[in-house]
């Protein structure tokens, strides 16, 4: 999530996580069953972690993809946008054969300004992967252990003496997401300009926690990643923007990416972002959420970035290049349950590792294909779902014959088909 996604406006329900991605990552076997075959389960989603980390030494060519593949990707993006509820999209692909990108649709329906590669968008829960990466870096440096309990760092957490940092990173802590708490929903939807501190967010979550014992099952909770942000700040003695800049952004040269503390203002250029969430929106008149205060997402979803930065980051997220040593990265690539699921602050489906991000007005996908050394990024200036979405709010011209999907996810799946390794998010189990 950071997705705020209500099933039906009058019920004030949040979808619990990454839109459809949460469901897919949750379809792994229950945690108790995973433990019975842990060695085998860890090998299923990424078949050869050592081969993947070896690619960190390889620099891919900065040349255009072959024309036939570029044309196929362009056609896939255009076709998917026709069924997506977004004014515009930006997409890019990097493979061992070269790179491709493009932008389609409009950045601002009022002015008809075109969507352009290089525009900044809010990346929602892709932020979680940055938080998880910093956590892994600190563990690799011996400054913390993933098996430390959260009460060693943050007091007052329900079950804090038995919830580990690993539980938090893998969404198995049993802590309620503050984005499922009615008091938070009431405040946020009535006034999206309100600013929240991390402690404010925890105060919404703790009264309803725990919802299950640590390690018992998966439940996507933004509370987990906010707590990890506090741990990172405490261990480093620095604010989270400084940590992310020194440990991730600068090493990778991500000059157009903004940390969660500095994300209140959108850097130019940026598209307007549209949503059906909140008390003011209707299907006939979506709300412009471009400048809604993102502080409620913090280390769970507050960051901003661009296509080029995310393409670099996505490959590094998969291979560890510039971020983690081979041993630590391989541990992360083995952290996924069988046959797909959520590991250390990222998900995996059939060898694709990464994350989807949703914040009101924006939807982003960042995925790396461990089987082909291919990175795919899609940005959309809408978080509005389309297709057969049950009781969720959709636009009046919604294509009901399509499977329900958020805009960036729909385009990403189409691109994956054109690339020859289809990514499927068909849910087989509930995430709740």
């Amino acid at each position: 999530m950071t997705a705020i996604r209500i099933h039906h406006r009058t019920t004030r329900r949040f979808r619990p996580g990454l839109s459809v991605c949460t469901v897919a990552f949750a379809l792994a076997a229950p945690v108790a069953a995973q433990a019975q075959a842990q060695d085998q389960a860890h090998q299923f989603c990424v078949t050869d972690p050592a081969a993947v980390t070896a690619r960190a030494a390889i620099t891919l060519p900065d040349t255009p993809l072959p024309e036939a593949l570029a044309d196929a990707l362009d056609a896939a993006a255009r076709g998917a946008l026709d069924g997506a509820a977004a004014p515009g999209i930006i997409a890019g692909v990097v493979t061992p054969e070269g790179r491709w990108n493009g932008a389609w649709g409009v950045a601002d329906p009022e002015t008809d300004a075109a969507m352009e590669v290089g525009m900044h968008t809010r990346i929602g829960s892709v932020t979680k992967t940055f938080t998880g990466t910093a956590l892994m870096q600190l563990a690799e440096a011996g400054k913390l252990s993933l098996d430390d309990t959260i009460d060693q760092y943050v007091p007052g957490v329900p079950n804090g003496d038995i919830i580990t940092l690993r539980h938090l990173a893998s969404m198995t802590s049993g802590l309620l997401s503050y984005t499922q708490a009615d008091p938070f929903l009431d405040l946020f939807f009535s006034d999206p300009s309100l600013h929240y501190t991390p402690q404010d967010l925890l105060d919404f979550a703790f009264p309803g926690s725990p919802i299950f014992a640590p390690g018992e099952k998966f439940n996507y909770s933004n509370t987990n990643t906010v707590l990890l942000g506090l741990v990172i700040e405490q261990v480093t003695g620095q604010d989270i923007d400084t940590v992310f800049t020194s440990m991730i952004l600068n090493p990778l040269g991500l000059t157009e990416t903004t940390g969660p503390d500095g994300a209140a203002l959108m850097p130019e250029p940026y598209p307007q972002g549209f949503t059906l969430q909140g008390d003011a929106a209707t299907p006939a008149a979506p709300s412009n959420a471009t400048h809604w205060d993102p502080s409620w997402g913090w280390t769970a979803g507050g960051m901003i970035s661009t296509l080029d930065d995310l393409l670099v980051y996505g490959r590094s997220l998969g291979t560890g290049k510039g971020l983690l040593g081979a041993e630590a990265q391989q541990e992360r690539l083995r952290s996924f349950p069988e046959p797909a699921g959520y590991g250390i602050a990222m998900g995996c489906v059939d060898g694709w590792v990464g994350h989807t991000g949703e914040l009101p007005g924006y939807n982003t996908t960042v995925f790396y294909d461990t089987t082909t050394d291919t990175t795919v990024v899609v940005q959309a200036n809408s978080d509005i779902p389309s297709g057969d979405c049950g009781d969720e709010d959709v636009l009046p011209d919604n294509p009901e014959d399509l499977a329900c999907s958020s805009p960036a996810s729909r385009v990403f799946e189409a691109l994956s088909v054109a690339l020859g390794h289809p990514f499927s998010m068909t849910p087989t189990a509930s995430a709740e």
Side-chain angles (χ1 to χ4, degrees):
M1 159 159 184
T2 337
I4 294 189
R5 169 69 61 216
I6 49 178
H7 289 288
H8 189 277
R9 174 170 293 118
T10 58
T11 65
R12 293 300 192 93
R13 290 273 294 165
F14 274 95
R15 181 182 284 178
L18 279 157
S19 188
V20 291
C21 286
T22 301
V23 178
F25 294 152
L27 60 83
V31 173
Q34 296 167 19
Q36 296 174 7
Q38 189 175 43
D39 291 340
Q40 297 91 336
H42 282 176
Q43 298 301 317
F44 270 83
C45 200
V46 179
T47 58
D48 192 348
V52 176
T53 58
R55 297 176 189 149
I58 300 172
T59 300
L60 297 184
D62 189 20
T63 54
L65 283 178
E67 184 176 356
L69 179 54
D71 288 346
L73 292 169
D74 181 82
R78 292 178 185 275
L81 181 58
D82 287 343
I89 59 167
I90 301 166
V93 172
V94 174
T95 83
E97 294 185 272
R99 59 191 302 123
W100 164 90
N101 63 42
W104 301 264
V106 298
D108 186 346
E110 287 193 6
T111 66
D112 211 31
M115 200 74 156
E116 296 180 1
V117 172
M119 286 184 162
H120 299 81
T121 61
R122 302 193 185 279
I123 63 172
S125 280
V126 176
T127 303
K128 290 180 173 68
T129 66
F130 286 81
T131 304
T133 297
L135 180 75
M136 288 293 295
Q137 290 174 325
L138 294 174
E140 185 179 35
K143 296 182 178 180
L144 56 76
S145 167
L146 297 184
D147 296 318
D148 290 343
T149 54
I150 187 59
D151 69 347
Q152 296 174 236
Y153 303 94
V154 181
V157 180
N159 276 347
D161 60 335
I162 54 175
I163 293 173
T164 66
L165 305 187
R166 192 184 304 275
H167 287 136
L168 296 171
S170 63
M171 300 294 177
T172 58
S173 72
L175 295 173
L176 178 74
S177 182
Y178 55 88
T179 49
Q180 291 178 309
D182 285 340
F184 175 79
L185 292 171
D186 291 339
L187 281 175
F188 182 85
F189 282 142
S190 64
D191 187 357
S193 70
L194 292 175
H195 187 83
Y196 302 90
T197 67
Q199 188 59 53
D200 290 336
L201 303 176
L202 299 182
D203 289 344
F204 289 116
F206 288 171
S209 300
I211 56 177
F212 55 81
E216 182 179 285
K217 58 183 178 179
F218 173 96
N219 186 71
Y220 190 87
S221 172
N222 291 299
T223 305
N224 293 329
T225 324
V226 167
L227 283 167
L228 291 178
L230 292 174
V231 171
I232 291 166
E233 287 194 329
Q234 183 179 141
V235 171
T236 62
Q238 298 175 317
D239 67 83
I240 202 68
D241 276 12
T242 299
V243 174
F244 282 0
T245 298
S246 63
M247 295 173 64
I248 302 175
L249 306 187
N250 285 348
L252 298 184
L254 308 184
T255 59
E256 299 299 323
T257 300
T258 304
D261 281 343
L265 298 177
M266 290 283 284
E268 296 278 358
Y270 59 86
Q272 303 297 303
F274 298 91
T275 188
L276 290 180
Q277 301 189 69
D279 290 346
T282 67
S287 290
N288 186 324
T290 308
H291 301 294
W292 287 9
D293 191 300
S295 58
W296 67 272
W298 201 50
T299 51
M303 295 180 71
I304 294 169
S305 193
T306 62
L307 180 71
D308 285 348
D309 274 13
L310 291 174
L311 285 169
V312 171
Y313 176 69
R315 185 168 187 263
S316 292
L317 183 65
T319 64
K321 182 174 184 176
L323 297 176
L324 292 168
E327 183 177 351
Q329 182 65 15
Q330 288 170 32
E331 177 186 0
R332 196 174 192 185
L333 294 176
R334 291 189 177 100
S335 68
F336 308 110
E338 174 199 356
Y342 204 87
I344 299 175
M346 63 177 178
C348 182
V349 175
D350 192 26
W352 287 96
V353 299
H355 221 289
T356 292
E358 227 177 86
L359 217 64
Y362 299 95
N363 181 212
T364 308
T365 61
V366 178
F367 280 92
Y368 174 78
D369 183 3
T370 60
T371 70
T372 62
D373 197 9
T374 296
T375 309
V376 182
V377 172
V378 181
Q379 301 163 277
N381 59 338
S382 163
D383 68 317
I384 300 171
S386 61
D388 184 8
C389 296
D391 61 358
E392 290 195 64
D393 286 340
V394 293
L395 297 180
D397 59 352
N398 177 61
E400 295 183 359
D401 58 329
L402 299 177
C404 186
S405 182
S406 296
S409 296
R410 188 176 301 286
V411 174
F412 166 54
E413 291 193 25
L415 294 176
S416 74
V417 172
L419 288 164
H421 183 192
F423 178 96
S424 176
M425 276 298 194
T426 302
T428 61
S430 172
E432 294 193 69

